[in-house]
Amino acid sequence: MSPFRQIRHLASRFLGVVTSDSLGPTAQDEVNNILEPATAALFWEQDSVDQRHAYEVARRVRDALGDDRPALEAALLHDVGKRHSDLGPVSRSLATILDVVHMPMPSGWRLYRQHGALGAMDLEAIGAGPIAIAFARGETVPDDRIDGVVWSALVAADDA
């Protein structure tokens, strides 16, 4: 992703953060019906803002692909690594900007910028599917186990 696109994505996400609310009972049931207990536990460990974002990504994936469980799992779990940093929205935004412009940052912020690798390790440890692991890791090109149409839908849903 280009620096301009990253910053635009960040600004959009920040606005979403300050205007989002927690998932209601219907959305909670949808999440629990898609995920296995171990992956659901990781999902519910996220901040409510990340839960909301992941749920919205999953809704866009469902609109594009229907009830593709591995793709929905990937959408719901792609940011689970962010919970390791324990940063709020302002610190997250600043960490992303500093990363984009290659400036030094405090260690907790660097941990946030490594959320993809951390989330992928968490997902591997509990036996999540390969699409969820690859998407959490933030891979740019899927391997041959992942359908390109599915991957494109995930990327588009997250960027929307």
Side-chain angles (χ1 to χ4, degrees), residues 7-27:
I7 292 171
R8 186 180 64 165
H9 177 75
L10 172 66
S12 173
R13 285 289 310 275
F14 186 78
L15 289 174
V17 165
V18 297
T19 61
S20 74
D21 54 349
S22 298
L23 296 180
T26 302

Side-chain angles (χ1 to χ4, degrees), residues 10-95:
L10 172 66
S12 173
R13 285 289 310 275
F14 186 78
L15 289 174
V17 165
V18 297
T19 61
S20 74
D21 54 349
S22 298
L23 296 180
T26 302
Q28 291 174 18
D29 287 344
E30 286 180 56
V31 169
N32 288 327
N33 286 328
I34 292 167
L35 299 176
E36 297 296 323
T39 53
L42 280 182
F43 178 87
W44 296 117
E45 287 179 16
Q46 297 180 102
D47 289 339
S48 62
V49 168
D50 295 323
Q51 292 171 13
R52 168 61 63 188
H53 166 69
Y55 177 75
E56 294 300 330
V57 171
R59 287 182 57 185
R60 289 189 287 272
V61 167
R62 180 173 273 147
D63 289 346
L65 301 174
D67 194 28
D68 183 320
R69 294 293 177 155
L72 294 171
E73 176 190 49
L76 290 169
L77 299 172
H78 73 281
D79 281 336
V80 295
K82 289 182 178 181
R83 69 193 204 298
H84 289 281
S85 69
D86 199 31
L87 294 180
V90 172
S91 296
R92 287 178 174 197
S93 299
L94 292 173

